Amino acid sequence: MIIPLSWLKDYVDIDVTPDELEKKMFDAGFEVEEKYQLGKDLSNIVVGYVETCEAIPDTHLHVCQVNAGEYGTMQICCGADNVQAGGKYPVALVGATVYATAKDHKTIEGVMTIKKGKLRGYESCGMLCSGTELGMTEDLYPGAGYNGLLVLPEDAEAGADVKPILGLDDWIFDVALTANRPDCQSILGMAREVAAMLNKELKMPATDYTETDVEKEGFSVEVTAPDLCPRYSAHYVYDVKIAESPVWMRRRLALVGMAAISNVVDITNYVLKEIGQPMHAFDCSYLEGNKIEVRRAGEGEKIVTLDGQEYEMSSANLVICDGVKPVALAGVMGGLNSEIRDTTAAVMFESAKFMRDNVRKTARSLGKSTDASARYEKGVDEYSVVLGLKRALHLIEELGCGKVSRTHCDVNTGNSIDPTPMTVSISKVNSVLGITVPADDMFDIMKRLGFGPAIDGDALTIQVPAYREDMLPEGEKDVERYPDVAEEVIRMYGYDAIQSTLMPSAQVTVGGYTAKQRGEFELKKTLCSAGIHECIHYSFFSPADLDLLKLPEDASERKAIKLMNPINQDLSLMRTTLAASMINAISRNQKNGILEGRLFECAKRFIPKSLPLTEYPEEKDTLCVGIFGAKESFYDMKAIANTIARSLDITFTYKAIQKTFLHPYQTVAVFCDGEEIGYFGKVAYDIQDKLNMRTSAYVMEMDLEKLAGWYGKKRVFTPLLKYPEEKRDLAFVMDKEITYGQVEEVIRKANKYVTDIKLFDIYEGGQIPEGKKSMAYTVTFEPKEQAFENDAVQKFVEKICRTLKNELDIDLRA
């Protein structure tokens, strides 16, 4: 929120410095993001009186004798076409700083320092300045837009600082407002707060006007969508004279970043910034049917807005129509077919409350954000609807640009702009604050804030103004309970008055992580040590991601929670799997030329118990690992899984499964103590092709909640081997359908001394019968009590071969 100090002073007698005011705003809960003086980059610029002005032969230059008062008279060469003897202009003394302009003399390119120099052999000790060189525009000061010197008033005293004359001594406050204070999204709203901070009287802007006897006969307003427009007011103004706005209005609009257009349009923009009420003015000559109708748009209905853009609307959009056609997109922008023109002779002023969520959805769906929509999205109260229209009609009369008729239509769903009484306990307010604020101080604070308080014993009765309770989403109010009153009291009483105390039920602890947090942190360290980088994704994904994974319609992953107000369609569902986000991350990396890498994410999956939601969903802690690159393989992912298992002193087993988005022969489920805890596999080729992946990708997902039981498990020290381990390479011939996991399980069951089994070769082809394959393993035997003799190891091998033959019909390859 941009707030010029000069404008603020219209409503509050401010007797503190800008720095002091900034601190008071901070203390009252308003973050001042930036505070600066308009002429912050300018220095040593004073009023110069040109005593003589002589042309330099054969040039466009003039040599001038300039009287700068106490700074003396100096010679300055000037090329402006409007320099003349007897004129008063800004003069930058030697050492002054001004804005450097481009060749067009309008674009500012930086700040420069004025130096003494020579032009065409003539000494020049300073510079006479244009408006652009002082950062001024035509709206900020009349004549500043001319491509020549800025002419100062005749009564300006030579040598006087030009900043007060040009308003460059004004201060601008850029204040960040919280979502619960839309009532402060205006100069008047902030003035209320500043008046309370300084204990000053608030001076309200004039809203009086005189209605004539003229009527617009038969005119009516109909609201057929009261749920989206609870209040709509319209007032007819005739005998309109379109002209330029007065200097003071153009300047104020420029200070808050708005360009002046014409008096009637500028009044609507002025009221938006001053009162916080978005308004619109329709040219009555283009309104058909002698009526205004506020309704939902028809499917496919179109409108061309003031900026010349055509939009196709739906029933979710609210439009303002005359008796025939749409003439405005409610809360966003007026239609081109009813804009104010130079020929406008009568206007219909609109002041309304449109529901914030509908305006936000309309602006986003159509890609059209305006000052009005931004204001409506934060919430507009009905108090401002009434006050804003009155202020606009007063300005019409004050500027002499029209006459106010007696035709006024107000459609209201029954809401009142009268204050709402509310009673709270003073002791409860103090209990929230943890200190005792005297009742008299509490009374004074609430009075300054405009709550009209009364105290009876421990009861504090206040009158909550409409602008503090009417602008938030349905069912919410800014001030409705005693904690809200406590907030109002303490921000004026002073947060520094709060004493540090413990909650009644609090305990002093040494702090630290929980066992779950420590275990997850150790798991992350293990993954990082394996060269895997942690990544973080949104907790949302797209319906298209579920289609990418080729999940069937009845898949549990498709039972995802839909967001009511998503950032966009790609982030409209709460994640039920992390795999889609990881696959997309791998795809993005490869598109950016990163063809190999290892990533992991620890995040939550959101599993609803039922849809639509009737209770909070389950939030399951989940680990997802993704690896990609020409050198990565299924067995690299298995090695990562085994690394996780070793870090927890547990063992994983694996069983081949099918996943719609993974390779049919390179996908396994991961088991721990017989319980399935996850899966991993190679991303299916068609998905890799669809995402234009250039190298293979593998994905693993594990349920961390099922692993949490092993977090913090006491590690048992295993001494170094006393005896050498024995290794044997064994090649087996088996049916193609038999998996590595089945073979490993049988080998381990056959001999208790087996500590490691590594597959080092798979072969199909010559010398291997059709329908068979050869798998070669390195089996490691680890002695415990004594060293193994060769005969003992040979017996181990023979038993393993017998067991494999009996259970899986596997033969030792000759």
Side-chain angles (χ1 to χ4, degrees):
M1 176 69 194
I2 303 298
I3 306 168
L5 183 59
S6 58
W7 197 346
L8 200 61
K9 286 182 176 179
D10 268 12
Y11 315 112
V12 186
D13 291 328
I14 297 176
D15 55 3
V16 296
T17 66
D19 288 341
E20 291 172 328
L21 180 59
E22 178 185 28
K23 183 180 184 306
K24 287 184 177 293
M25 286 184 178
F26 269 114
D27 291 345
F30 298 98
E31 180 187 357
V32 180
E33 293 187 327
E34 187 179 12
K35 174 184 99 278
Y36 60 90
Q37 194 178 40
L38 282 181
K40 58 184 172 62
D41 297 321
L42 308 175
S43 64
N44 294 332
I45 303 170
V46 299
V47 177
Y49 173 70
V50 178
E51 295 179 334
T52 64
C53 180
E54 297 179 3
I56 298 177
D58 301 323
T59 72
H60 71 290
L61 300 174
H62 294 79
V63 59
C64 307
Q65 297 298 319
V66 181
N67 181 355
E70 63 179 284
Y71 301 98
T73 300
M74 59 205 70
Q75 179 172 291
I76 296 177
C77 293
C78 178
D81 60 3
N82 64 335
V83 64
Q84 62 181 4
K88 291 184 178 179
Y89 315 100
V91 58
L93 305 174
V94 173
T97 53
V98 298
Y99 291 111
T101 60
K103 291 182 179 180
D104 60 4
H105 300 292
K106 294 181 180 179
T107 306
I108 294 175
E109 294 188 330
V111 178
M112 66 178 182
T113 302
I114 301 302
K115 299 177 181 179
K116 184 177 179 180
K118 282 189 176 183
L119 288 174
R120 299 298 177 94
Y122 291 84
E123 189 175 75
S124 184
C125 302
M127 183 179 80
L128 294 171
C129 302
S130 67
T132 304
E133 289 160 338
L134 302 182
M136 305 293 287
T137 64
E138 189 67 28
D139 285 340
L140 286 173
Y141 192 85
Y146 179 71
N147 190 12
L149 298 182
L150 178 60
V151 180
L152 298 177
E154 292 182 2
D155 59 354
E157 182 181 348
D161 188 353
V162 300
K163 286 186 179 181
I165 298 171
L166 301 177
L168 291 170
D169 59 343
D170 199 359
W171 286 84
I172 304 296
F173 293 82
D174 188 355
V175 181
L177 299 172
T178 52
N180 68 318
R181 294 307 304 272
D183 60 299
C184 293
Q185 293 278 351
S186 65
I187 305 298
L188 179 62
M190 283 304 302
R192 288 193 198 104
E193 296 296 319
V194 171
M197 296 171 203
L198 302 179
N199 197 12
K200 300 283 186 179
E201 179 185 355
L202 175 67
K203 294 177 282 187
M204 292 292 291
T207 55
D208 59 302
Y209 58 89
T210 303
E211 291 183 353
T212 67
D213 293 331
V214 173
E215 282 191 69
K216 187 171 176 58
E217 295 184 3
F219 177 78
S220 64
V221 172
E222 180 183 6
V223 178
T224 60
D227 55 322
L228 304 182
C229 177
R231 187 154 196 162
Y232 189 96
S233 297
H235 205 112
Y236 176 62
V237 175
Y238 67 100
D239 198 13
V240 171
K241 298 178 178 61
I242 301 297
E244 188 178 57
S245 296
V247 172
W248 62 267
M249 181 174 283
R250 298 202 311 272
R251 175 180 171 80
R252 286 186 170 179
L253 289 174
L255 288 176
V256 293
M258 303 192 79
I261 299 172
S262 67
N263 47 12
V264 173
V265 176
D266 292 348
I267 284 173
T268 63
N269 289 333
Y270 189 85
V271 170
L272 169 63
K273 294 300 181 180
E274 181 188 43
I275 307 297
Q277 174 61 42
M279 296 191 63
H280 189 66
F282 299 100
D283 187 329
C284 287
S285 64
Y286 295 97
L287 296 181
E288 302 178 73
N290 204 27
K291 69 177 292 188
I292 290 287
E293 181 183 1
V294 184
R295 62 170 173 81
R296 294 177 183 271
E299 292 294 336
E301 192 170 17
K302 296 181 179 180
I303 186 173
V304 179
T305 51
L306 286 170
D307 57 0
Q309 299 293 316
E310 184 179 68
Y311 295 93
E312 184 174 310
M313 300 176 290
S314 69
S315 59
N317 306 132
L318 188 69
V319 290
I320 314 301
C321 305
D322 59 15
V324 177
K325 61 189 181 298
V327 292
L329 198 53
V332 180
M333 184 177 281
L336 189 63
N337 56 8
S338 61
E339 71 169 335
I340 303 300
R341 298 173 171 84
D342 293 342
T343 56
T344 298
V347 300
M348 187 65 69
F349 271 108
E350 165 196 280
S351 183
K353 175 180 179 177
F354 302 119
M355 298 309 291
R356 57 194 289 175
D357 55 341
N358 180 257
V359 174
R360 181 176 61 251
K361 291 175 182 177
T362 296
R364 288 188 178 182
S365 64
L366 299 180
K368 176 167 287 299
S369 180
T370 62
D371 288 327
S373 68
R375 180 66 188 88
Y376 272 119
E377 287 176 28
K378 294 177 176 67
V380 168
D381 56 87
E382 295 191 29
Y383 176 86
S384 296
V385 171
V386 176
L387 182 65
L389 184 56
K390 289 181 178 180
R391 179 60 171 160
L393 297 176
H394 170 85
L395 290 171
I396 284 285
E397 201 166 75
E398 181 181 331
L399 271 56
C401 53
K403 295 180 180 178
V404 182
S405 77
R406 59 185 298 181
T407 298
H408 177 83
C409 296
D410 184 33
V411 179
N412 185 1
T413 55
N415 295 328
S416 171
I417 62 172
D418 295 329
T420 301
M422 169 184 169
T423 300
V424 298
S425 165
I426 294 176
S427 58
K428 281 191 174 182
V429 171
N430 282 328
S431 70
V432 171
L433 300 177
I435 60 174
T436 300
V437 178
D440 290 344
D441 290 344
M442 203 175 289
F443 176 90
D444 178 62
I445 288 170
M446 299 310 289
K447 181 180 179 182
R448 283 189 277 144
L449 288 170
F451 284 88
I455 292 180
D456 183 9
D458 186 54
L460 170 65
T461 301
I462 59 174
Q463 306 296 323
V464 182
Y467 54 79
R468 290 301 301 273
E469 66 168 0
D470 184 41
M471 78 296 287
L472 296 180
E474 184 178 356
E476 297 181 37
K477 293 183 179 181
D478 184 29
V479 180
E480 61 177 345
R481 300 181 303 122
Y482 69 89
D484 301 323
V485 176
E487 180 186 0
E488 296 299 309
V489 169
I490 197 59
R491 67 189 186 87
M492 290 295 165
Y493 191 72
Y495 288 102
D496 54 357
I498 296 178
Q499 303 295 321
S500 298
T501 56
L502 286 173
M503 298 286 285
S505 59
Q507 295 179 346
V508 178
T509 67
V510 295
Y513 293 114
T514 62
K516 175 179 174 296
Q517 290 171 326
R518 288 194 300 270
E520 197 168 291
F521 182 66
E522 289 299 323
L523 175 61
K524 288 182 178 182
K525 286 202 301 184
T526 298
L527 292 169
C528 288
S529 67
I532 312 175
H533 299 278
E534 183 175 10
C535 60
I536 299 174
H537 300 116
Y538 284 113
S539 296
F540 326 114
F541 64 173
S542 168
D545 290 331
L546 297 171
D547 296 333
L548 175 70
L549 300 182
K550 301 182 293 183
L551 296 169
E553 290 300 320
D554 60 349
S556 60
E557 290 90 346
R558 285 194 179 273
K559 297 174 183 177
I561 302 165
K562 293 183 179 179
L563 300 184
M564 294 178 64
N565 182 31
I567 299 172
N568 55 49
Q569 188 64 19
D570 290 340
L571 299 170
S572 59
L573 301 177
M574 301 295 290
R575 288 195 296 181
T576 53
T577 174
L578 308 189
S581 300
M582 185 61 71
I583 292 172
N584 283 318
I586 292 172
S587 172
R588 285 193 298 272
N589 275 277
Q590 296 204 18
K591 286 176 182 177
N592 287 309
I594 303 171
L595 302 182
E596 60 181 33
R598 292 183 165 195
L599 303 170
F600 79 89
E601 178 184 18
C602 291
K604 292 184 182 296
R605 294 181 295 124
F606 299 87
I607 312 300
K609 297 175 183 176
S610 63
L611 287 177
L613 287 178
T614 56
E615 56 184 315
Y616 289 118
E618 291 184 65
E619 298 184 20
K620 290 186 172 292
D621 291 316
T622 305
L623 167 68
C624 186
V625 179
I627 62 175
F628 59 100
K631 297 180 180 179
E632 299 288 6
S633 70
F634 174 85
Y635 300 104
D636 291 315
M637 184 63 88
K638 183 185 177 186
I640 293 172
N642 287 335
T643 298
I644 294 172
R646 282 195 298 272
S647 72
L648 297 172
D649 276 346
I650 55 179
T651 301
F652 290 159
T653 56
Y654 307 96
K655 180 180 179 180
I657 60 168
Q658 299 286 314
K659 285 277 184 183
T660 56
F661 57 94
L662 297 178
H663 191 289
Y665 303 120
Q666 295 190 45
T667 304
V668 296
V670 183
F671 292 85
C672 182
D673 284 353
E675 182 181 20
E676 185 174 347
I677 62 170
Y679 66 88
F680 65 82
K682 183 176 184 178
V683 177
Y685 289 124
D686 57 341
I687 293 178
Q688 293 186 39
D689 292 341
K690 186 174 182 178
L691 296 176
N692 297 316
M693 292 187 187
R694 289 183 273 173
T695 59
S696 297
Y698 302 84
V699 172
M700 174 168 64
E701 216 173 359
M702 282 191 182
D703 189 335
L704 291 181
E705 292 185 359
K706 293 180 179 179
L707 286 179
W710 287 278
Y711 290 162
K713 179 182 176 183
K714 284 189 176 182
R715 308 294 293 271
V716 178
F717 172 71
T718 303
L720 295 175
L721 295 176
K722 294 181 180 180
Y723 312 104
E725 60 186 15
E726 296 287 340
K727 294 184 178 183
R728 294 293 185 271
D729 290 341
L730 305 174
F732 299 104
V733 178
M734 66 196 76
D735 292 338
K736 283 186 178 182
E737 292 76 17
I738 295 177
T739 65
Y740 167 86
Q742 291 175 283
V743 176
E744 180 183 14
E745 183 180 358
V746 172
I747 292 175
R748 289 186 182 278
K749 185 170 68 172
N751 190 276
K752 66 179 181 180
Y753 296 107
V754 174
T755 58
D756 190 34
I757 305 170
K758 287 185 179 178
L759 177 69
F760 66 84
D761 182 57
I762 300 177
Y763 176 72
E764 295 180 31
Q767 300 179 353
I768 302 297
E770 187 175 349
K772 300 283 187 177
K773 65 181 177 181
S774 169
M775 297 180 73
Y777 300 85
T778 296
V779 181
T780 302
F781 301 93
E782 186 178 294
K784 293 181 173 58
E785 297 86 10
Q786 62 184 14
F788 289 142
E789 299 288 342
N790 286 335
D791 290 345
V793 176
Q794 183 58 33
K795 289 180 180 179
F796 295 160
V797 171
E798 290 172 356
K799 183 178 180 182
I800 288 172
C801 292
R802 286 196 305 273
T803 307
L804 286 171
K805 179 64 177 177
N806 293 334
E807 296 195 13
L808 299 174
D809 194 22
I810 293 176
D811 295 310
L812 183 68
R813 183 178 174 187

